[in-house]
Amino acid sequence: MLLLALLASFAQAAFVTEPYLQLGPRPAPDRLSILWHAPDADATWALEHQSADGAWMPVQRIVQRRVTLRGTRPFRIYEAELAGLRPGAEFDYRVLRDGAPVFTARGKAIAPPQAPARFAVVGDPGAGSAGQRAVASRINAAQPDAVIVPGDIVYPNGRLKHYLSKWFPIYQPVFRARISAAAPGNHDFEECADLAQPDCLAYFHVWSPPLNGPAGNAVALMGPAADQQAFKALAGAKFPQAANYSFDYGPVHWTILDSNHVMDWTRPDLRQWLENDLAQSHAPWKFVVFHHAPFHSSGKHAEHQRLRVLSPIFEAHGVAVVFAGHVHNYQRTHPIRFVAEPYPTPLGSQQPIPGQTIRDPNGVVYVLTGAGGAGLVDGAKTGRPSTWLPFTAHFEARQHSFTQIDANPELLRIRQIGADGRELDSFQIARK
Ligand SMILES: [Fe+2]
């Protein structure tokens, strides 16, 4: 017991947040990043990963950022970019402090284009609820290759302290071993834009996606000038560019978008970036992820379906599935196309986009997977198609859940898994 207590206190002393895998600035089948948070003390940190012949290879460059936000106990964020990994293969890694190993885990490199991959997609999760913990445990058991989060990552808003209490501790068994990536939701950005809470917008501090999205689109920062300055200094180039990006994992091209109000997706330059991103990909499957579900049968948030303005682009470029959250349940549409009626440009902040949905086997499936942990809504609509809009094919709101995707170049098998382990929905999309 004493030994266990000593080991526990040692681990506590070594890390504020244990190491977690990220896409990093240049994700590729042989490259990813590992981040960790450590107490604010001078130490020499190293990260080594094991090569195929068993030798430990040190990462040459580890970037350190010191977190000194007002009201937060100072700590440091370390980021190491690993290269030379065997594509799609597991690898052992260890983190050393002052020459002594303090953490060891087995990670997995990004799968190359033709290799199958399993993904977990879970929206609106970080409420610290029993449902979140149950779903996290199911995700861990499913052994996904990567976890994707369509926004409202932590509640009540995206403060660093909520990441440290309701995010990393709950998913650490997965995150130490597999990449995670997220799209920002309203609780992450809009409801955390006031830096009178100086640890807000922690999205830009803790996530490390590639900075390959459109530049120059920003959260409208508020709060004391000194806190805004401290935020920007810590976020560096990640603010604001990290809010939109894309990457490839196995047979899937993932495009991650910011659907908050500040992003006006009627803007020609933003639409052109999205068009280029999708057109340039030759991946067998294209998925798009953002927070505000554009097609759903709930009354709540019905006025927030404005990203319908992007549907023609998704259709033109063969996007198979769009994943979203915001409404706290699970809903899936039939494959649909959307014909918008004329809408004002720019869009107002609360305007739904009027138009017509047309069922079409070549259309896009919209999966709302917002049942990751926050309080569920519309339980009574489960199993009652008469209460759904015609484009909805499935609706589950009686328990928390996540989406599991098995992708190979020819076939997608997509299942919704409940907190109790039951399969709540299942469908497949075959390559045409
Ligand atoms: Fe939301």
Side-chain angles (χ1 to χ4, degrees):
M1 283 302 283
L2 182 63
L3 181 62
L4 282 177
L6 278 174
L7 286 172
S9 69
F10 184 67
Q12 222 170 13
F15 296 103
V16 173
T17 300
E18 290 182 341
Y20 56 101
L21 271 58
Q22 290 285 286
L23 292 163
R26 294 175 293 168
D30 68 343
R31 197 193 321 257
L32 52 74
S33 287
I34 296 179
L35 281 73
W36 65 95
H37 310 163
D40 185 34
D42 288 332
T44 302
W45 289 89
L47 187 144
E48 298 175 344
H49 59 96
Q50 211 164 15
S51 65
D53 62 8
W56 287 102
M57 316 258 293
V59 171
Q60 296 301 328
R61 184 165 171 262
I62 296 177
V63 176
Q64 172 188 285
R65 288 177 290 151
R66 188 157 178 255
V67 180
T68 55
L69 301 170
R70 182 172 58 85
T72 297
R73 179 190 286 193
F75 67 96
R76 302 186 192 190
I77 298 175
Y78 296 87
E79 180 162 357
E81 190 181 14
L82 285 65
L85 300 172
R86 215 145 48 86
E90 290 192 323
F91 62 91
D92 289 329
Y93 71 93
R94 63 186 187 184
V95 176
L96 301 92
R97 189 184 61 181
D98 295 331
V102 288
F103 186 87
T104 304
R106 178 162 293 175
K108 192 169 186 181
I110 293 172
Q114 293 305 313
R118 170 173 287 185
F119 305 99
V121 186
V122 61
D124 306 74
S129 63
Q132 180 197 4
R133 291 172 192 278
V135 170
S137 161
R138 295 290 170 196
I139 292 173
N140 190 29
Q143 298 193 305
D145 294 310
V147 178
I148 313 294
V149 185
D152 282 1
I153 303 160
V154 288
Y155 290 92
N157 57 8
R159 296 179 65 176
L160 199 46
K161 71 172 192 175
H162 300 136
Y163 275 94
L164 298 182
S165 60
K166 301 176 192 174
W167 188 250
F168 291 114
I170 292 175
Y171 300 103
Q172 170 51 219
V174 182
F175 289 174
R176 65 171 60 191
R178 298 294 185 265
I179 281 171
S180 58
N186 52 304
H187 286 264
D188 306 304
F189 280 12
E190 289 171 354
E191 295 179 33
C192 213
D194 188 349
L195 292 166
Q197 295 181 327
D199 65 337
C200 256
L201 299 174
Y203 174 95
F204 295 100
H205 307 320
V206 304
W207 295 91
S208 182
L211 302 183
N212 59 5
N217 298 286
V219 178
L221 295 180
M222 296 180 288
D227 293 320
Q228 292 193 30
Q229 212 167 11
F231 162 77
K232 286 183 185 171
L234 182 58
K238 291 180 183 176
F239 178 79
Q241 207 180 354
N244 299 272
Y245 57 95
S246 68
F247 63 97
D248 292 307
Y249 198 117
V252 180
H253 179 71
W254 291 88
T255 304
I256 311 291
L257 305 178
D258 177 5
S259 59
N260 284 296
H261 291 108
V262 74
M263 295 292 291
D264 178 1
W265 285 102
T266 64
R267 264 176 48 184
D269 58 329
L270 295 177
R271 295 174 76 86
Q272 192 60 56
W273 174 80
L274 177 61
E275 294 240 29
N276 293 346
D277 177 77
L278 293 171
Q280 286 164 10
S281 170
H282 300 293
W285 302 106
K286 296 173 190 175
F287 294 165
V288 177
V289 182
F290 51 83
H291 181 60
H292 297 77
F295 298 98
H296 64 83
S297 287
S298 287
K300 190 168 188 186
H301 298 326
E303 74 281 19
H304 290 163
Q305 299 176 94
R306 59 188 171 273
L307 255 65
R308 291 180 181 193
V309 293
L310 295 180
S311 290
I313 296 177
F314 302 154
E315 294 157 17
H317 295 282
V319 170
V321 187
V322 171
F323 295 95
H326 197 42
V327 180
H328 299 164
N329 54 36
Y330 168 74
Q331 299 180 42
R332 165 171 66 90
T333 72
H334 297 284
I336 53 173
R337 287 187 293 118
F338 180 68
V339 182
E341 294 168 8
Y343 52 83
T345 308
L347 283 175
S349 64
Q350 299 289 326
Q351 282 168 301
I353 309 301
Q356 188 189 3
T357 56
I358 300 168
R359 277 173 69 164
D360 179 340
N362 297 314
V364 179
V365 174
Y366 293 83
V367 171
L368 159 55
T369 182
L376 297 169
V377 300
D378 278 345
K381 290 190 175 184
T382 303
R384 293 178 60 208
S386 64
T387 65
W388 309 343
L389 292 168
F391 53 66
T392 296
H394 203 93
F395 194 117
E396 286 282 347
R398 286 177 302 200
Q399 64 168 304
H400 289 97
S401 62
F402 76 100
T403 309
Q404 178 178 307
I405 304 151
D406 286 296
N408 69 47
E410 303 300 324
L411 184 73
L412 295 175
R413 185 176 181 218
I414 302 181
R415 303 195 292 157
Q416 194 69 14
I417 309 292
D420 67 359
R422 274 192 304 143
E423 182 180 285
L424 306 176
D425 185 26
S426 172
F427 66 102
Q428 298 190 357
I429 302 175
R431 188 137 190 229
K432 299 170 184 95

